[in-house]
Coordinates of all heavy atoms in Angstrom, one line a residue:
A1 N -10.5 -2.7 6.6 CA -11.3 -3.2 5.5 C -12.3 -2.1 5.1 O -12.5 -1.9 3.9 CB -12.0 -4.5 5.8
E2 N -12.9 -1.5 6.1 CA -13.9 -0.4 5.8 C -13.2 0.8 5.2 O -13.7 1.4 4.3 CB -14.6 -0.1 7.1 CG -16.0 0.6 6.8 CD -16.8 0.9 8.1 OE1 -16.5 0.3 9.2 OE2 -17.6 1.8 8.1
A3 N -12.0 1.1 5.8 CA -11.3 2.3 5.2 C -10.9 2.1 3.8 O -10.9 3.0 3.0 CB -10.0 2.5 6.1
L4 N -10.6 0.8 3.5 CA -10.1 0.5 2.1 C -11.4 0.7 1.2 O -11.3 1.2 0.1 CB -9.7 -0.9 2.0 CG -9.2 -1.5 0.7 CD1 -8.0 -0.7 0.3 CD2 -8.9 -3.0 0.8
K5 N -12.6 0.2 1.6 CA -13.8 0.3 0.8 C -14.2 1.7 0.5 O -14.7 2.0 -0.6 CB -14.9 -0.3 1.7 CG -16.0 -1.0 0.7 CD -16.9 -2.0 1.6 CE -18.1 -1.4 2.1 NZ -18.8 -2.3 2.9
V6 N -14.0 2.7 1.4 CA -14.5 4.0 1.1 C -13.3 4.8 0.5 O -13.5 6.0 0.2 CB -14.9 4.8 2.4 CG1 -16.2 4.1 2.9 CG2 -13.9 4.8 3.5
G7 N -12.1 4.2 0.3 CA -11.0 5.1 -0.3 C -10.1 5.8 0.6 O -9.3 6.6 0.2
L8 N -10.3 5.6 1.9 CA -9.5 6.4 2.9 C -8.1 5.8 2.9 O -7.2 6.5 3.1 CB -10.1 6.2 4.3 CG -9.4 6.9 5.5 CD1 -9.2 8.3 5.2 CD2 -10.3 6.7 6.8
I9 N -8.0 4.5 2.6 CA -6.7 3.9 2.4 C -6.7 3.1 1.0 O -7.8 2.9 0.5 CB -6.2 3.0 3.5 CG1 -7.3 1.9 3.8 CG2 -6.0 3.7 4.8 CD1 -6.9 0.8 4.7
D10 N -5.5 2.8 0.5 CA -5.4 2.3 -0.8 C -5.1 0.8 -0.8 O -5.4 0.0 -1.8 CB -4.4 3.0 -1.7 CG -4.8 4.5 -1.7 OD1 -5.7 4.8 -2.3 OD2 -4.0 5.3 -1.0
E11 N -4.4 0.3 0.2 CA -4.0 -1.2 0.2 C -4.1 -1.6 1.8 O -3.8 -0.7 2.6 CB -2.6 -1.3 -0.2 CG -2.4 -1.1 -1.7 CD -0.9 -1.3 -2.0 OE1 -0.4 -2.4 -1.8 OE2 -0.2 -0.3 -2.3
V12 N -4.4 -2.9 2.0 CA -4.3 -3.4 3.3 C -3.3 -4.6 3.1 O -3.5 -5.5 2.3 CB -5.5 -3.9 3.9 CG1 -5.4 -4.6 5.3 CG2 -6.6 -2.8 4.0
V13 N -2.2 -4.7 3.9 CA -1.2 -5.8 3.8 C -0.9 -6.1 5.3 O -1.1 -5.4 6.1 CB 0.0 -5.4 3.0 CG1 -0.3 -5.0 1.6 CG2 0.8 -4.3 3.7
S14 N -0.2 -7.3 5.4 CA 0.3 -7.8 6.7 C 1.3 -6.8 7.2 O 2.1 -6.3 6.3 CB 0.7 -9.2 6.7 OG 1.8 -9.3 5.9
F15 N 1.5 -6.6 8.4 CA 2.5 -5.7 8.9 C 3.9 -6.0 8.3 O 4.6 -5.1 8.0 CB 2.6 -5.7 10.5 CG 3.7 -4.9 11.1 CD1 3.7 -3.6 11.1 CD2 4.9 -5.5 11.5 CE1 4.7 -2.8 11.6 CE2 5.9 -4.8 12.0 CZ 5.8 -3.4 12.1
D16 N 4.3 -7.2 8.2 CA 5.6 -7.5 7.8 C 5.8 -7.3 6.3 O 6.9 -7.4 5.8 CB 6.0 -9.0 8.2 CG 5.0 -10.0 7.7 OD1 4.1 -9.7 6.9 OD2 5.1 -11.2 8.2
R17 N 4.7 -7.0 5.6 CA 4.9 -6.7 4.2 C 4.7 -5.2 3.8 O 4.8 -4.8 2.7 CB 3.8 -7.5 3.3 CG 4.2 -9.0 3.2 CD 3.2 -9.7 2.3 NE 2.9 -9.0 1.1 CZ 1.7 -8.8 0.7 NH1 0.6 -9.2 1.4 NH2 1.5 -8.1 -0.4
I18 N 4.5 -4.4 4.9 CA 4.1 -3.0 4.6 C 5.3 -2.2 4.0 O 5.1 -1.4 3.1 CB 3.6 -2.3 5.9 CG1 2.6 -1.2 5.5 CG2 4.5 -2.0 6.9 CD1 1.7 -0.7 6.7
Q19 N 6.5 -2.5 4.5 CA 7.7 -1.8 4.0 C 7.8 -2.0 2.4 O 8.1 -1.1 1.6 CB 8.9 -2.2 4.7 CG 8.9 -1.7 6.1 CD 9.9 -0.5 6.2 OE1 10.7 -0.2 5.4 NE2 9.8 0.1 7.4
T20 N 7.7 -3.3 2.1 CA 7.9 -3.7 0.7 C 6.9 -3.1 -0.2 O 7.2 -2.6 -1.3 CB 7.8 -5.3 0.6 OG1 8.6 -5.9 1.7 CG2 8.3 -5.8 -0.7
A21 N 5.6 -3.2 0.3 CA 4.5 -2.6 -0.5 C 4.7 -1.1 -0.7 O 4.5 -0.6 -1.8 CB 3.2 -2.9 0.2
A22 N 5.2 -0.4 0.4 CA 5.4 1.1 0.3 C 6.5 1.4 -0.7 O 6.4 2.3 -1.5 CB 5.7 1.6 1.7
G23 N 7.6 0.6 -0.6 CA 8.7 0.8 -1.5 C 8.3 0.5 -3.0 O 8.7 1.3 -3.9
R24 N 7.5 -0.5 -3.2 CA 7.0 -0.8 -4.6 C 6.2 0.3 -5.1 O 6.3 0.7 -6.3 CB 6.2 -2.1 -4.5 CG 5.8 -2.6 -5.9 CD 4.9 -3.8 -5.8 NE 5.4 -4.9 -5.0 CZ 4.8 -5.5 -4.0 NH1 3.5 -5.1 -3.7 NH2 5.3 -6.5 -3.3
K25 N 5.3 0.9 -4.3 CA 4.5 2.0 -4.8 C 5.3 3.3 -5.1 O 5.1 3.9 -6.2 CB 3.4 2.3 -3.7 CG 2.3 3.2 -4.3 CD 1.5 2.5 -5.4 CE 0.6 3.5 -6.2 NZ -0.3 2.9 -7.1
A26 N 6.3 3.5 -4.2 CA 7.1 4.7 -4.4 C 7.9 4.5 -5.8 O 7.9 5.5 -6.5 CB 8.0 4.8 -3.3
K27 N 8.4 3.3 -6.0 CA 9.1 3.1 -7.2 C 8.2 3.2 -8.5 O 8.7 3.7 -9.5 CB 9.8 1.7 -7.2 CG 11.0 1.7 -6.4 CD 11.6 0.3 -6.2 CE 12.8 0.4 -5.2 NZ 13.2 -0.9 -4.7
Q28 N 6.9 2.8 -8.4 CA 6.0 3.0 -9.5 C 5.9 4.4 -9.8 O 6.0 4.8 -11.1 CB 4.7 2.4 -9.1 CG 3.6 2.5 -10.3 CD 2.3 2.3 -9.8 OE1 2.0 1.7 -8.8 NE2 1.3 2.8 -10.6
Y29 N 5.8 5.3 -8.8 CA 5.7 6.7 -9.1 C 7.0 7.3 -9.6 O 7.0 8.2 -10.5 CB 5.3 7.4 -7.8 CG 3.8 7.4 -7.4 CD1 3.5 7.3 -6.0 CD2 2.8 7.3 -8.3 CE1 2.2 7.2 -5.6 CE2 1.5 7.1 -7.8 CZ 1.2 7.2 -6.5 OH -0.1 7.1 -6.1
M30 N 8.1 6.8 -9.1 CA 9.4 7.3 -9.5 C 9.8 7.0 -10.9 O 10.7 7.7 -11.4 CB 10.5 6.7 -8.5 CG 10.5 7.3 -7.1 SD 11.2 6.2 -5.9 CE 12.9 6.0 -6.5
Q31 N 9.2 6.0 -11.6 CA 9.6 5.7 -12.9 C 9.0 6.8 -13.9 O 9.4 6.8 -15.1 CB 9.1 4.3 -13.3 CG 7.5 4.3 -13.4 CD 7.1 2.8 -13.7 OE1 7.8 2.0 -14.1 NE2 5.8 2.6 -13.5

């Protein structure tokens, strides 16, 4: 939560959603 607040990370999700979230972000850039 603190890392997110300072911009060290961009998203916090549950472990089981991390792959989906990463794939989604990659596809956003890929378009």
Side-chain angles (χ1 to χ4, degrees):
E2 201 180 335
L4 182 66
K5 208 161 95 184
V6 296
L8 179 52
I9 56 173
D10 304 291
E11 291 178 66
V12 178
V13 301
S14 61
F15 173 76
D16 53 13
R17 284 185 45 231
I18 202 163
Q19 289 258 348
T20 317
R24 188 184 306 129
K25 191 67 193 184
K27 284 175 183 161
Q28 183 196 334
Y29 286 146
M30 282 157 61
Q31 71 184 340

